[in-house]
Amino acid sequence: MPKPPPLLPIPFLCRTKKRKTIITILFFPFFVTGCLPYLYHLGKEQSAIILGREKIELVLTKPNLDPKTKQKLNLIREVREFAIDKLALNEKGGFEYFTELNREEIGWNVSASESLNLKSYTWWFPIAGTVPYKGFFNKELAIELEKELKEKGYDTRVRPIGGYSTLGWFSDPVLSPQLTWPDHRLVGLVIHEMAHATAYLPGDTTLNESYASFVEEIGTEMFYVAKEGENSPHLIKFKKEKLKRESILKLLKQYADQLKSVYESDKEDSSKLELKKSIILDFKNKIISENLIPEEKSKEFLVREWNNEDFLGALRYHSGEVSFFSLYEKSNRDLSKFHKEVQNLFSLPEESRKEFLEPTH
């Protein structure tokens, strides 16, 4: 059985600029960065995804299409139309096509942070700018990079990719592993990735992902209210997960602040490392004591290694919720105006954007 998607969204891969032919897609980035093996890997696999696309409307006419796939693809078409018409999202955000992959995961992201500082290791790519992860379609390549970063002393994590956006440069297809997702998460995925194609600031991952997550949450609720009413069973499940996620995020922020205080202290590094272990263990015990994970998974959760990147990885998707909601209210809950207000944030200095996401008052 393919494992379900993670509770928190997964970052999209780095992108290369759309050109007129697949050949140029493969070779143009080489002259930009010189990272030939890596960019060849991305270009080759992305080209295969694009060349393997089929229009969803044509896939749905196939006589032997299984009922589950048909239901999921019809749902995606419905969400895409809703996202364009009611959420004012960019119609170039994809989900018009379907690509069958020969693997259970789309790909894998490698991310890292400093061991005694809540600071992400970053990479720079054309179009995407500076990002705190590096994506691969081959798991072995991801593990190889993670090993290199670990040897340099970084806290690391390899995560399966749930979805990604090429920011409107291509019409991104829905990929076969995504059809295993529960309906309400699939709805959220479509809205989240289409939001990236609507407003995106190169180099500010936390702003981009938090904005897309905010649109995903309000958009999912709006979709199911319109489709099934206030008592929608999908909406009830979505809200239940949201409440649990908010509780987890509250604890994540609380314990991240504790870690930050330790890292900024004048203690010896050895003492900081011991305190780091203690704080993370306290965090795990708190999660278990508040029943925020299923009881049958608590033992596994307790022994699983946690590090700085786990805190950063979660928080970069859910920062500034209050600020985004205030901006939404300021826009009179008109999402076309809201997207423009978010784009206005792009002209602010980095410190001002950080204050928006992490208000001190």
Side-chain angles (χ1 to χ4, degrees):
M1 287 286 292
K3 63 176 176 290
L7 184 61
L8 298 170
I10 296 296
F12 47 85
L13 291 169
C14 65
R15 276 78 45 187
T16 56
K17 188 173 181 179
K18 180 182 179 183
R19 311 303 284 181
K20 292 182 180 179
T21 67
I22 294 298
I23 297 297
T24 312
I25 293 166
L26 288 174
F27 293 104
F28 173 74
F30 297 174
F31 302 105
V32 177
T33 67
C35 300
L36 300 183
Y38 174 66
L39 289 171
Y40 176 78
H41 163 71
L42 282 193
K44 176 176 174 289
E45 294 297 329
Q46 180 62 36
S47 296
I49 286 173
I50 297 300
L51 291 171
R53 296 181 310 182
E54 294 181 88
K55 275 275 191 179
I56 288 177
E57 61 194 57
L58 295 178
V59 176
L60 288 169
T61 65
K62 293 183 177 181
N64 297 324
L65 188 67
D66 68 275
K68 182 179 178 182
T69 298
K70 186 174 182 179
Q71 180 265 321
K72 297 285 186 182
L73 292 178
N74 274 317
L75 176 63
I76 288 165
R77 291 183 76 192
E78 189 178 356
V79 180
R80 172 184 153 78
E81 290 176 9
F82 184 87
I84 295 168
D85 295 340
K86 304 299 182 183
L87 306 181
L89 293 179
N90 187 354
E91 64 180 9
K92 294 182 179 179
F95 298 98
E96 297 177 275
Y97 296 86
F98 171 72
T99 299
E100 181 76 39
L101 299 182
N102 60 356
R103 54 185 182 269
E104 290 187 352
E105 301 288 0
I106 296 169
W108 294 265
N109 269 329
V110 181
S111 51
S113 72
E114 295 181 13
S115 176
L116 291 175
N117 190 2
L118 289 174
K119 182 179 180 181
S120 297
Y121 186 97
T122 60
W123 292 265
W124 183 89
F125 299 104
I127 308 305
T130 301
V131 292
Y133 41 74
K134 189 171 183 178
F136 296 87
F137 291 108
N138 182 309
K139 190 175 183 180
E140 290 180 3
L141 294 176
I143 292 172
E144 184 180 321
L145 175 58
E146 184 195 29
K147 182 180 177 182
E148 291 175 11
L149 291 166
K150 275 185 174 180
E151 288 173 352
K152 293 178 180 178
Y154 289 99
D155 284 3
T156 63
R157 187 64 61 216
V158 174
R159 300 181 178 94
I161 295 168
Y164 70 95
S165 169
T166 57
L167 308 178
W169 291 101
F170 300 112
S171 182
D172 298 313
V174 61
L175 303 169
S176 53
Q178 294 166 333
L179 298 187
T180 65
W181 291 36
D183 282 6
H184 65 289
R185 293 190 187 173
L186 191 56
V187 169
L189 169 76
V190 174
I191 294 170
H192 185 100
E193 301 305 339
M194 290 185 72
H196 281 312
T198 304
Y200 182 88
L201 177 62
D204 196 333
T205 299
T206 304
L207 178 64
N208 294 327
E209 295 296 352
S210 296
Y211 153 73
S213 294
F214 179 82
V215 176
E216 172 189 343
E217 290 191 357
I218 60 172
T220 300
E221 184 166 350
M222 289 171 65
F223 174 78
Y224 276 117
V225 168
K227 179 179 172 66
E228 300 174 351
E230 295 286 349
N231 295 320
S232 159
H234 292 101
L235 185 57
I236 291 170
K237 188 179 292 186
F238 164 77
K239 287 184 174 180
K240 184 178 180 181
E241 286 187 5
K242 181 181 177 181
L243 284 173
K244 182 173 286 189
R245 181 172 62 248
E246 287 173 345
S247 297
I248 292 172
L249 286 166
K250 184 178 179 181
L251 288 175
L252 276 164
K253 290 175 181 178
Q254 176 186 327
Y255 282 89
D257 285 342
Q258 290 185 32
L259 289 170
K260 184 178 178 181
S261 295
V262 168
Y263 300 154
E264 292 177 350
S265 72
D266 56 3
K267 293 180 171 62
E268 296 289 331
D269 284 358
S270 57
S271 298
K272 290 181 181 181
L273 287 170
E274 287 303 313
L275 286 168
K276 174 184 177 180
K277 290 179 183 177
S278 176
I279 290 169
I280 289 175
L281 181 59
D282 285 348
F283 165 75
K284 290 179 175 181
N285 285 326
K286 188 73 170 174
I287 291 288
I288 292 170
S289 68
E290 295 195 6
N291 299 314
L292 294 174
I293 60 170
E295 185 178 350
E296 65 272 16
K297 293 185 178 181
S298 60
K299 188 175 293 185
E300 177 188 344
F301 175 76
L302 197 58
V303 298
R304 177 183 176 272
E305 177 211 355
W306 264 68
N307 60 43
N308 289 346
E309 175 50 33
D310 292 296
F311 288 87
L312 290 170
L315 296 177
R316 71 174 59 109
Y317 280 85
H318 294 276
S319 294
E321 295 98 331
V322 174
S323 297
F324 279 117
F325 187 77
S326 296
L327 210 58
Y328 182 50
E329 292 286 283
K330 177 185 173 183
S331 306
N332 296 317
R333 301 197 173 201
D334 182 327
L335 279 165
S336 61
K337 293 179 181 178
F338 171 74
H339 301 315
K340 291 176 182 176
E341 289 288 348
V342 170
Q343 290 168 346
N344 289 338
L345 297 174
F346 297 172
S347 62
L348 297 178
E350 182 180 351
E351 283 304 312
S352 298
R353 298 197 306 272
K354 186 175 180 181
E355 169 66 19
F356 175 86
L357 294 169
E358 302 175 13
T360 54
H361 55 274

